[in-house]
């Protein structure tokens, strides 16, 4: 990737962990997802990462909820955004995840690239707020890749540590993964790689060693340290993601009133870095996504 490349601005529109007690901007119903998608697109976001919820806000892995959210967003913004379904979860079978991909195939689906401890730590309490193991074994990764290949879905490889980047090479060699790749480096989760600019450069350098490049990459920063990582990614030639799944706060510490407000700040950072936001057509080309209506 190059500093001359336009920046794909992605929004993680809802997540599955936080709720409206923590941030009133989190959408629950399909109509609320559509309204947030309109704000995202109007502010320059071109790629929307979706975790489904039921209208009461609880996470859902049911095909009908993904389909309802997908269709509501498409009705609101048309082809102006790439839609991306998460497949990351704990305790939900591969078969169930493939079911919702098959029922309503998105253009992109997120694919976690390795197992890890996954935690949040409180310095004030000197204890973990939560701590679990996030299992993503190779057999599940391969099964999801085969389904995505069959359905014409572009994988978004979410790498929480350097070893996850290394896991891409054998999958290319096996033929279940097709280069060039679309990779996001997830930084700021306790148990994953620490969220520093130096570590982001290490992740990008390791991706350069994966065959079939150049590959497109971006950064996903968790919590308010996200804004520093966005600056680092922009300086290194990468793309960026914001949204209420990752971080609820603007750089000045005020809570965001919408995903659109976070996207507007991200777009401003892109422009201040001397780069420009990608159009949705440019984003599809950079991510390796077929234009809408064109067979894979």
């Amino acid at each position: 990737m190059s500093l001359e490349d336009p920046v794909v601005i992605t929004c993680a529109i809802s997540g599955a962990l936080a709720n409206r007690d923590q941030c009133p901007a989190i959408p629950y119903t399909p109509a609320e997802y559509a309204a947030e998608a309109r704000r995202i697109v109007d502010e320059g976001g071109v790629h929307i990462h979706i975790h489904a919820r039921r209208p009461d806000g609880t996470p859902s892995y049911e095909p009908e909820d993904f389909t309802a959210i997908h269709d509501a967003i498409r009705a609101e913004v048309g082809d102006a955004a790439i839609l991306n379904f998460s497949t990351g979860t704990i305790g939900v079978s591969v078969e169930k995840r493939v079911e919702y991909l098959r029922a309503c195939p998105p253009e992109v689906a997120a694919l976690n690239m390795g197992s890890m401890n996954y935690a949040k730590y409180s310095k004030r309490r000197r204890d973990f707020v939560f701590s679990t193991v996030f299992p993503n074994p190779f057999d599940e990764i391969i099964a999801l890749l085969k389904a995505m290949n069959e359905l014409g879905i572009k994988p978004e490889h979410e790498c929480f540590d350097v070893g996850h980047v290394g896991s891409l090479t054998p999958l290319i060699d096996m033929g279940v993964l097709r280069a060039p790749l679309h990779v996001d480096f997830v930084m700021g989760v306790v148990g994953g790689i620490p969220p520093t600019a130096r570590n982001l450069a290490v992740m990008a350098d390791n991706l350069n060693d994966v065959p079939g490049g150049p590959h497109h990459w971006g950064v996903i920063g968790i919590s308010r340290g996200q804004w520093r990582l966005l600056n680092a990614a922009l300086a290194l030639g990468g793309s960026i993601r914001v949204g209420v799944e990752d971080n609820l706060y603007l750089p000045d510490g005020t809570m965001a009133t919408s995903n659109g407000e976070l996207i507007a700040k991200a777009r401003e950072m892109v422009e201040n870095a001397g780069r420009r936001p990608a159009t949705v057509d440019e984003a599809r080309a950079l991510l390796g996504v077929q234009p809408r209506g064109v067979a894979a």
Side-chain angles (χ1 to χ4, degrees):
M1 291 179 64
S2 163
L3 288 169
E4 301 305 314
D5 289 331
V7 178
V8 177
I9 303 178
T10 297
C11 185
I13 192 170
S14 63
L17 296 178
N19 58 44
R20 285 202 185 136
D21 292 336
Q22 296 161 280
C23 179
I26 296 172
Y28 285 1
T29 69
E32 290 165 353
Y33 274 85
E36 283 296 287
R38 169 52 62 193
R39 296 181 183 103
I40 290 162
V41 167
D42 287 350
E43 294 294 350
V46 292
H47 183 201
I48 300 176
H49 174 77
I50 297 166
H51 289 259
R53 293 183 186 244
R54 299 184 182 91
D56 65 0
T58 57
S60 173
Y61 305 95
E62 296 301 325
E64 56 266 30
D65 291 313
F66 274 99
T67 299
I69 291 165
H70 174 281
D71 291 352
I73 292 175
R74 281 280 177 239
E76 178 63 36
V77 303
D79 293 344
I82 300 163
L83 300 190
N84 172 333
F85 286 176
S86 172
T87 66
T89 184
I90 296 173
V92 178
S93 70
V94 169
E95 292 76 17
K96 187 67 175 178
R97 287 175 273 172
V98 170
E99 183 182 359
Y100 64 72
L101 293 180
R102 194 176 299 282
C104 183
E107 293 172 275
V108 176
L111 181 63
N112 296 288
M113 288 308 300
S115 301
M116 60 182 292
N117 288 323
Y118 194 108
K120 182 175 182 180
Y121 181 73
S122 169
K123 289 185 177 179
R124 181 179 61 83
R125 300 181 195 176
R126 292 189 175 180
D127 198 1
F128 292 104
V129 177
F130 69 84
S131 178
T132 189
V133 174
F134 189 18
N136 295 288
F138 276 118
D139 59 344
E140 292 190 1
I141 291 171
I142 291 168
L144 287 164
L145 275 173
K146 287 181 176 178
M148 291 179 199
N149 290 338
E150 176 194 344
L151 296 167
I153 298 169
K154 180 70 175 184
E156 175 220 352
H157 303 283
E158 294 196 358
C159 297
F160 291 74
D161 216 333
V162 178
H164 295 177
V165 180
S167 295
L168 297 165
T169 297
L171 296 172
I172 292 173
D173 190 62
M174 291 171 65
V176 294
L177 182 54
R178 303 163 184 170
L181 309 179
H182 165 39
V183 179
D184 273 319
F185 307 132
V186 187
M187 308 182 73
V189 175
V190 177
I193 193 166
T196 68
R198 182 173 296 173
N199 282 341
L200 178 59
V202 168
M203 297 280 270
D205 285 345
N206 274 263
L207 184 61
N208 287 336
D209 294 332
V210 174
H215 306 290
H216 178 268
W217 66 267
V219 71
I220 299 172
I222 306 302
S223 297
R224 285 174 56 189
Q226 169 190 82
W227 299 107
R228 293 188 293 274
L229 291 170
L230 266 56
N231 275 320
L234 292 170
L236 291 169
S239 289
I240 58 176
R241 181 175 113 172
V242 295
V244 295
E245 175 180 354
D246 302 336
N247 168 40
L248 307 176
Y249 297 94
L250 294 162
D252 65 2
T254 59
M255 181 173 288
T257 60
S258 72
N259 280 289
E261 194 171 17
L262 295 166
I263 291 288
K265 178 56 66 175
R267 188 194 69 245
E268 178 186 349
M269 293 173 68
V270 169
E271 293 165 349
N272 288 344
R275 299 180 65 192
R276 68 176 180 84
T279 67
V280 69
D281 289 339
E282 289 172 329
R284 287 191 170 100
L286 286 165
L287 272 54
V289 175
Q290 290 285 342
R292 289 263 295 158
V294 175

